[in-house]
Structure formats: C-alpha cells, structure tokens
Amino acid sequence: GSHDTMTYCLDKNSTVSGNESKLVKFLNKCMPCIVHPIIMKWSTTQVLTVTEQLEAGVRYLDFRIAHKANDPSMNLYFVHMVYTTVTVEDILWEVLRWLETHPQEVVILACRNFDGLTKKLHCHLIACIKEIFQCKLCPRNVSMRSFFPPLRMIYCTNLHPTMWTRELNLSVMSVELWDNSRDTTAIHSPEYLMYHFLIFVSEKFFVAGINLTENLRYILVHPFGSLKKMTLQSLPCLKIWIKQQYPGPKKQCINIIAGDFIGNNDFVEDVIELNTKI
C-alpha cells in the first residue's frame, strides 16, 4: 500500500486546507514565499503517479478526499495540508483504465477524511464511484473467502450504507497503525511495533501504516529538511522489520503495509515476498 497516495500532485498554488491549524494558516498568509515551499516538502509522501504505483505492485490506495472551501463546483480533490491539482473523478477513471488492462488484479481504495464534504457532495462521490466502476465493485455481502475476479474493486468508507465499512465483520479495514513517532530508534524496534499489532482483530484485513510524521516544531528546527529525506534515512531499518513479519489472520500477523515513497528501496518487493511464508 501507499500512504497518502495522491501527494505526488499537490498544487503549489493551493491554499492550506481548512483542517490545518490557525498558526499554519497565519504563517502561510504572512510569509507565503517562505512557508508554502516548506509545507510542500513536508506534505509530499509519494513521487510516483497512481498508475506508476499500481505498476510497481501497490494494491492499496490511501485516498484523502476533500472539497475546497468556497468552491461553488462539485469538484472533489485529494488533500494533505494542501489540495491536489487533479480531481478525484479523474483519478478514479485512471484507476479504471489500469484495471481494464489488468483483469486479474484486486485494488483496495481506502477513502477517508472527506474534509468539507456535505451529504450532497458525499452522495455525489458515491455516484461517481458507481458510475465509473459499475460491475467491478465488490458487493458488501460477498465473503472474502470466495472473493475472486472479475470483482476487482473494493471501496471503503464508514459513511454510506451500500459500501464497505469498517464495522462489517469482513471489513477491508478494521484498525490502522499510524506511527507518529519521530524517534527512529523507537519505530525500528520490533517490540514497539508488535505491541501495536497485537491489538488487531483476527479474521479481518488490517493496515500497518509505516510512516514518520513531523510536527510544526520539528519542521521549524529543520527548515532545510523534508519528509522524503527523513523517510529515506529510515528505509534500511524498516526493510529489516518488514522481512520479519508474517501474513495471515492471526492477531500477530499483518495483511497490508502502507509506506511513503514506495518507489524507493525494495519496499513493494519485500512486502509481496511475505506471501511465501503462508
């Protein structure tokens, strides 16, 4: 999986999203030439396009969906501090085109955030998904034990009764681990991570988000740093940890690992190789 899948196309001219702190908005308004480039460096988690990610082996896409404030249109975008240049509808069509050329593949869309979405906008999103993917959507009443193509698309949200939700017994996502530690010695400790994995419920898919997250203080102390630089430094240790994991339904096992900058190192290959342990 890729964490914050769509940050490769963040709009450098975008306003800061409505969910960000007043301090960030104030600093960006007062010193945009200085603050905005810093925001871009610490918001970008991927450099490959969604098609390139799928080609690389990613099958779990983390979509953070939002509607721009004061935008009279129905256009929806992706967001991570700032908004993307592309719309959600454009990317859904791009995913469909890839699925049509790869009929044996299963892709999980994890849609979340929904910043600024009214009930009307959310219904519009659901309608777009149904119109674009049609019979490729996996019905919510299908047992995962018998889940095979041509049902090639799963949509996850807890806001609509006709789609897959976190509450279902066969939910695609039950619990997520987003490790917000900036202490690389802690994040690389198998004991530290295994403690969190043990809380996962068996018989479900669950996602481990292996990503470092900065706060404003950290960014101010490291004005010339970036999320990419911080992530790449941690990859060798994360590679060791990934190879130690086991897939499956048991509580100490994992199903999906979502990472940043998935085109770097052998992240995708290492995760897929875990299937040989089954």
Side-chain angles (χ1 to χ4, degrees):
S2 58
H3 168 241
D4 264 310
T5 301
M6 295 305 303
T7 56
Y8 65 87
C9 60
L10 294 177
D11 186 356
K12 63 181 181 180
N13 297 316
S14 167
T15 57
V16 175
S17 71
N19 271 5
E20 296 306 317
S21 68
K22 292 181 180 180
L23 178 58
V24 171
K25 293 177 183 177
F26 175 76
L27 291 175
N28 186 58
K29 185 176 182 179
C30 294
M31 302 178 291
C33 295
I34 298 175
V35 175
H36 209 76
I38 295 176
I39 289 176
M40 295 293 291
K41 287 195 302 179
W42 289 99
S43 299
T44 303
T45 66
Q46 307 294 339
V47 293
L48 299 182
T49 68
V50 68
T51 297
E52 289 171 338
Q53 291 179 38
L54 291 167
E55 288 291 335
V58 167
R59 296 296 179 268
Y60 169 90
L61 303 177
D62 176 20
F63 286 165
R64 313 294 177 97
I65 296 175
H67 182 258
K68 293 180 179 179
N70 303 317
D71 184 354
S73 75
M74 299 283 283
N75 290 335
L76 300 177
Y77 296 85
F78 303 96
V79 66
H80 190 211
M81 292 194 74
V82 295
Y83 302 99
T84 56
T85 56
V86 299
T87 65
V88 171
E89 189 171 354
D90 287 340
I91 293 302
L92 294 179
W93 282 110
E94 185 173 343
V95 173
L96 174 67
R97 288 192 292 271
W98 187 88
L99 284 170
E100 288 178 334
T101 58
H102 299 79
Q104 299 303 311
E105 297 293 338
V106 175
V107 175
I108 299 174
L109 299 187
C111 300
R112 70 183 78 211
N113 278 48
F114 307 115
D115 297 346
L117 263 71
T118 61
K119 183 176 181 180
K120 181 180 179 180
L121 285 168
H122 191 81
C123 289
H124 171 66
L125 171 62
I126 298 296
C128 285
I129 291 172
K130 288 183 175 181
E131 178 187 356
I132 291 170
F133 294 113
Q134 299 184 24
C135 64
K136 290 182 174 61
L137 288 168
C138 177
R140 61 179 289 175
N141 59 347
V142 170
S143 169
M144 294 307 294
R145 296 183 184 275
S146 61
F147 178 66
F148 293 103
L151 300 174
R152 296 187 291 273
M153 177 61 56
I154 303 174
Y155 171 75
C156 322
T157 174
N158 58 356
L159 295 179
H160 199 275
T162 64
M163 297 296 180
W164 285 69
T165 72
R166 299 185 184 201
E167 290 75 29
L168 293 175
N169 289 333
L170 291 170
S171 172
V172 178
M173 296 168 54
S174 56
V175 182
E176 295 181 50
L177 166 63
W178 300 112
D179 195 318
N180 291 325
S181 172
R182 289 167 301 283
D183 182 354
T184 54
T185 60
I187 197 172
H188 299 154
S189 166
E191 293 79 12
Y192 175 80
L193 289 170
M194 186 57 67
Y195 172 81
H196 290 281
F197 286 131
L198 288 175
I199 69 174
F200 290 143
V201 181
S202 62
E203 300 295 326
K204 295 183 179 181
F205 283 150
F206 37 73
V207 182
I210 307 302
N211 51 280
L212 299 170
T213 304
E214 76 293 341
N215 57 24
L216 184 58
R217 180 178 179 275
Y218 186 89
I219 293 175
L220 293 175
V221 174
H222 301 82
F224 301 107
S226 68
L227 187 58
K228 183 175 183 178
K229 181 178 180 180
M230 187 171 67
T231 299
L232 295 184
Q233 289 174 343
S234 70
L235 285 181
C237 293
L238 286 176
K239 180 182 179 73
I240 295 172
W241 178 84
I242 290 172
K243 287 180 174 292
Q244 295 172 341
Q245 305 313 304
Y246 288 84
K250 296 181 180 179
K251 290 183 179 180
Q252 62 267 36
C253 298
I254 54 178
N255 301 145
I256 299 169
I257 302 177
D260 292 333
F261 303 102
I262 57 92
N264 291 279
N265 209 329
D266 301 316
F267 171 76
V268 175
E269 290 81 359
D270 290 341
V271 174
I272 294 175
E273 191 176 350
L274 293 176
N275 288 310
T276 60
K277 297 183 180 182
I278 297 177

